[in-house]
């Protein structure tokens, strides 16, 4: 299940600004951990989806931990659902 959110569009609408198309879309994704998964392995797969700009894997992994505070103290557990976010191009702009 994916939800796309463009914060700038929301802000512009709330404050009466003009709504402009943006070249990037912020994606909030959810992943169900499988047996044998590790946080670093999941991060390595999802960082490939982040096409906004190059990201360093440690920074991306720390971002996943911030979204899922339980991962600050332990690795992932099979069956749990974790939140991951990244940026993709807006197809309407490219």
């Amino acid at each position: 299940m994916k939800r796309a959110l463009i914060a700038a569009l929301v802000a512009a609408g709330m404050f009466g600004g003009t709504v402009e198309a943006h070249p990037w879309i912020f994606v909030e994704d959810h992943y169900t951990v499988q047996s044998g998964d590790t946080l670093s392995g999941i991060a390595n797969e999802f960082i490939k989806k982040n096409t906004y700009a190059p990201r360093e894997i440690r920074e991306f992994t720390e971002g996943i931990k911030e979204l899922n505070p339980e991962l600050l103290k332990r690795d992932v557990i099979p069956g749990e659902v974790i939140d991951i976010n990244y940026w993709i191009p807006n197809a309407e702009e490219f």
Side-chain angles (χ1 to χ4, degrees), residues 4-52:
L5 167 71
I6 303 176
L9 289 175
V10 173
M14 289 173 46
F15 299 109
T18 59
V19 176
E20 299 177 15
H22 292 275
W24 300 99
I25 297 172
F26 183 70
V27 177
E28 294 176 305
D29 209 343
H30 311 284
Y31 177 75
T32 302
V33 179
Q34 306 298 308
S35 180
D37 281 347
T38 62
L39 179 57
S40 61
I42 294 167
N44 276 311
E45 287 304 311
F46 274 87
I47 199 169
K48 295 173 190 174
K49 295 181 179 190
N50 185 80
T51 54
Y52 172 66

Side-chain angles (χ1 to χ4, degrees), residues 27 29 39-51 53-68 83-87:
V27 177
D29 209 343
L39 179 57
S40 61
I42 294 167
N44 276 311
E45 287 304 311
F46 274 87
I47 199 169
K48 295 173 190 174
K49 295 181 179 190
N50 185 80
T51 54
R55 289 184 73 182
E56 203 277 324
I57 190 64
R58 289 179 294 188
E59 179 263 336
F60 191 77
T61 303
E62 289 302 313
I64 295 172
K65 288 179 180 180
E66 289 176 13
L67 288 171
N68 305 275
D83 298 322
I84 302 171
N85 56 36
Y86 52 91
W87 293 85

